[in-house]
Amino acid sequence: MAALYGAQALSPEFKRARGTNQKDQRRQEILDCAARLMAQRDYATLSVQLIAQEAGIVKGTLYLYFKTKEELFLSLHLRESLNLLELWALRIASMEDWGLLPKVSAELLAEHSLVMKLLVITNQILEHNITFEKAQEFKWALHRGLLALGGQVEERLGWMKPGQGVGFISHLLFYAMGLWPACDQAPIIKEVYAAEPQLGLAVPDFSSHLEQAASWFLEGMSRG
């Protein structure tokens, strides 16, 4: 019995990562699995058990890396959001002129549907059932990322006052969070609109509406 148990414990689907690098790698693999599932389904339909199965581990092993479902998805949110902020900075740096900022920003957020899906459930769901340390880590990491991107916006545009870059990014993200649920219809509703396009005439286009909002924000700031 002991030999059988030992063999099972060393099998690929049950083996635990030993070193720090292996643990980090396994942690990222779990987040990758959660990202794939979240891209296909709603948060409410995802369970820790399902994510563990997707990752090829048992549920108990997953809890060694993330204490709760909320902590897991908050970690995914942080990883994907920091990647988004970094890419946003790169695109701003390559802009030909600052007038492209609304279009560049709107298109980028539209491309990152996973970040948008996580953003809209952050306050009411993901920031609950987590430890103080995890909440603090999340907020500080995003804070640093937003400050860096905001500073680059101010430098690129030239006319902005200190702090207005972060203000622009924050306002745009808040607007996007409110707009996203109206644009992200359920699969069955998408089928209805595809069959009868006239029924979807009032549904806003996420990218174009966000671009218009970004233009309004910048116009208001330039006048102030």
Side-chain angles (χ1 to χ4, degrees), residues 57-76:
I57 58 177
V58 296
K59 184 177 178 181
T61 300
L62 187 146
Y63 280 124
L64 295 176
Y65 298 89
F66 304 97
K67 295 181 179 179
T68 64
K69 177 184 175 182
E70 292 83 0
E71 180 182 314
L72 191 162
F73 279 93
L74 193 68
S75 297
L76 177 62

Side-chain angles (χ1 to χ4, degrees), residues 74 78 130-144:
L74 193 68
L78 179 59
I130 57 174
T131 64
F132 176 88
E133 290 74 20
K134 288 297 178 182
Q136 188 178 47
E137 174 188 335
F138 175 73
K139 289 300 186 181
W140 269 114
L142 280 185
H143 177 73
R144 288 190 292 266

Side-chain angles (χ1 to χ4, degrees), residues 19-91:
T20 301
N21 291 337
Q22 288 179 310
K23 288 182 179 179
D24 291 341
Q25 181 179 353
R26 175 55 62 86
R27 190 173 187 273
Q28 293 306 316
E29 289 172 354
I30 294 172
L31 292 178
D32 290 340
C33 291
R36 287 196 297 270
L37 291 170
M38 187 70 177
Q40 303 165 2
R41 306 172 60 164
D42 291 333
Y43 175 85
T45 68
L46 298 177
S47 65
V48 172
Q49 178 65 41
L50 182 61
I51 297 168
Q53 290 175 354
E54 179 75 11
I57 58 177
V58 296
K59 184 177 178 181
T61 300
L62 187 146
Y63 280 124
L64 295 176
Y65 298 89
F66 304 97
K67 295 181 179 179
T68 64
K69 177 184 175 182
E70 292 83 0
E71 180 182 314
L72 191 162
F73 279 93
L74 193 68
S75 297
L76 177 62
H77 180 5
L78 179 59
R79 187 186 76 171
E80 298 301 312
S81 294
L82 292 180
N83 288 339
L84 168 62
L85 293 177
E86 182 178 356
L87 183 56
W88 205 339
L90 290 173
R91 292 198 182 181

